[in-house]
């Protein structure tokens, strides 16, 4: 198992760094946040959770617990590097990035059965591929505790909120939200991700901290790539 684990807070640029690092090494990239978001979307569509993310009733809670393991989540990639998350074959990339989903995903991802189902899928993706860069919250602690390189990404909250806002503005998807609204959502997700009982967001003891508050994107990628080479990760041969 040839895995690089990248964990950290929301909107620290984990996914962007992980994606480019995977490209440079010729490895598979897996965005586990997209998997939890897809489950959250499925739960919302089926009325298993309300708009606040909590289970509607006991039957809905049960449907969510047993339903997560039955979903087919995969990705399609454009030549430009743009990722499309497919849920049972449907492209849900845009739907899973909305504020509505951001507001409920931490609650859905706190359900132990949801985590167990997705962790099993993530481990399989790792063992099936010659090399993987996976980003999330529990990759170094739970999914791949044996990974030879674990990176914990962080950045100051104001920097993260400003970046996320700029990203949404560029896509024209701010929906009237202010940078303060975004900061509040990030703070709430940080708190929920760290407080949940099942595999909370936690820096693995042996993780290297990458604080990119004052780094350019390229500098952050370069640091991650340098660590990967130092730890013996070799570029996968195309086959
Ligand atoms: O990385 P992201 O913001 O797209 O992740 C969305 C949510 O999914 C995040 O609030 C916490 C949850 N998550 C998780 O619990 N475990 C992971 N490995 C990845 C994401």
């Amino acid at each position: 198992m040839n895995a690089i684990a990248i964990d950290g807070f929301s909107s620290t640029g984990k996914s962007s760094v992980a994606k480019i690092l995977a490209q440079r090494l010729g490895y598979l990239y897996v965005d586990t946040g997209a998997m939890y978001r897809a489950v959250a979307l499925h739960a919302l569509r089926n009325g298993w959770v309300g708009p606040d993310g909590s289970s509607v009733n006991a039957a809905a809670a049960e449907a969510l617990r047993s339903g997560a393991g039955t979903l087919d989540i995969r990705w399609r990639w454009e030549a430009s590097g743009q990722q499309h998350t497919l849920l049972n074959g449907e492209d849900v990339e845009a739907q899973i990035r909305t504020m509505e989903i951001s507001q409920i995903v931490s609650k859905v991802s706190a359900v132990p059965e949801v985590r167990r189902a997705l962790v099993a899928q993530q481990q399989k993706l790792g063992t099936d591929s010659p090399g993987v860069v996976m980003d999330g919250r529990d990759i170094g602690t739970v999914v791949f505790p044996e990974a030879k390189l674990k990176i914990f990404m962080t950045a100051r909250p104001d920097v993260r909120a400003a970046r996320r806002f700029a990203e949404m503005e560029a896509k024209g998807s701010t929906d009237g939200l202010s940078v303060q609204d975004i900061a509040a959502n990030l703070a709430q997700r940080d708190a929920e991700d760290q407080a949940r009982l099942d595999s909370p967001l936690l820096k693995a003891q042996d993780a290297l901290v990458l604080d990119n508050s004052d780094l350019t994107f390229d500098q952050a990628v370069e640091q991650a790539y340098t660590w990967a080479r130092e730890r013996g990760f070799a570029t996968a041969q195309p086959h």
Side-chain angles (χ1 to χ4, degrees), residues 12 85 91 106 121 123 135 158 160 175 191 193 211:
T12 46
T85 302
D91 186 339
S106 288
Q121 289 186 19
Q123 289 171 332
D135 86 275
D158 57 314
R160 291 158 52 203
D175 290 335
D193 292 345
D211 182 334

Side-chain angles (χ1 to χ4, degrees), residues 32-33 36-37 105-106 109 115 136-138 189 193 196:
T32 64
Y36 288 96
R37 286 171 180 272
V105 63
S106 288
S109 64
R115 303 203 69 79
R137 305 291 189 291
D138 61 342
R189 280 204 286 152
D193 292 345
R196 72 166 170 250

Side-chain angles (χ1 to χ4, degrees), residues 7-11 14-15 31-34 36-37 96-97 102 105-106 109-110 115 122 135-139 143 189-190 193 196 199:
D7 291 300
F9 295 105
S10 303
S11 293
K14 288 188 307 291
S15 300
D31 172 356
T32 64
Y36 288 96
R37 286 171 180 272
I96 64 171
R97 306 292 167 191
S102 294
V105 63
S106 288
S109 64
R115 303 203 69 79
Q122 291 153 10
D135 86 275
R137 305 291 189 291
D138 61 342
I139 311 305
V143 181
R189 280 204 286 152
D190 287 353
D193 292 345
R196 72 166 170 250
S199 42

Side-chain angles (χ1 to χ4, degrees), residues 97-120:
R97 306 292 167 191
T98 60
M99 188 56 113
E100 196 180 18
I101 294 301
S102 294
Q103 265 158 356
I104 68 168
V105 63
S106 288
K107 295 197 178 67
V108 170
S109 64
V111 177
E113 289 83 353
V114 169
R115 303 203 69 79
R116 223 169 297 144
L118 294 191
V119 166

Side-chain angles (χ1 to χ4, degrees), residues 18-235:
K19 189 163 92 174
I20 301 298
L21 180 64
Q23 235 171 48
R24 279 180 72 172
L25 291 165
Y27 291 4
L28 173 72
Y29 162 60
V30 177
D31 172 356
T32 64
M35 299 172 78
Y36 288 96
R37 286 171 180 272
V39 175
L41 176 68
H42 187 72
L44 188 68
R45 282 176 169 177
N46 282 285
W48 296 343
V49 296
D52 65 351
S54 54
S55 286
V56 176
N57 53 40
E62 183 45 39
L64 171 61
R65 287 200 292 266
S66 55
T70 66
L71 299 179
D72 178 47
I73 303 170
R74 41 183 98 207
W75 292 272
R76 176 173 71 74
W77 292 91
E78 283 181 28
S80 65
Q82 169 65 44
Q83 154 180 301
H84 291 268
T85 302
L86 308 179
L87 171 63
N88 292 336
E90 176 194 352
D91 186 339
V92 293
E93 188 61 35
Q95 285 102 304
I96 64 171
R97 306 292 167 191
T98 60
M99 188 56 113
E100 196 180 18
I101 294 301
S102 294
Q103 265 158 356
I104 68 168
V105 63
S106 288
K107 295 197 178 67
V108 170
S109 64
V111 177
E113 289 83 353
V114 169
R115 303 203 69 79
R116 223 169 297 144
L118 294 191
V119 166
Q121 289 186 19
Q122 291 153 10
Q123 289 171 332
K124 181 159 187 334
L125 286 167
T127 45
D128 286 354
S129 70
V132 65
V133 180
M134 197 171 281
D135 86 275
R137 305 291 189 291
D138 61 342
I139 311 305
T141 50
V142 175
V143 181
F144 298 128
E146 308 299 326
K148 288 201 303 288
L149 175 59
K150 301 176 186 176
I151 299 177
F152 190 84
M153 281 188 64
T154 180
R156 289 191 301 273
D158 57 314
V159 173
R160 291 158 52 203
R163 282 188 192 146
R164 181 92 188 97
F165 185 72
E167 211 176 273
M168 291 171 86
E169 244 183 347
K171 287 192 202 154
S173 65
T174 50
D175 290 335
L177 296 169
S178 66
V179 73
Q180 286 81 10
D181 295 329
I182 309 286
N185 173 255
L186 290 182
Q188 188 193 340
R189 280 204 286 152
D190 287 353
E192 286 175 354
D193 292 345
Q194 288 177 292
R196 72 166 170 250
L197 295 175
D198 189 336
S199 42
L201 168 62
L202 185 81
K203 183 183 100 55
Q205 256 181 0
D206 50 350
L208 302 173
V209 176
L210 178 51
D211 182 334
N212 68 359
S213 306
D214 301 310
L215 298 181
T216 64
F217 176 67
D218 288 349
Q219 286 170 329
V221 171
E222 204 48 49
Q223 176 63 81
Y225 184 71
T226 303
W227 283 337
R229 299 311 299 249
E230 284 171 4
R231 299 272 165 126
F233 287 91
T235 307

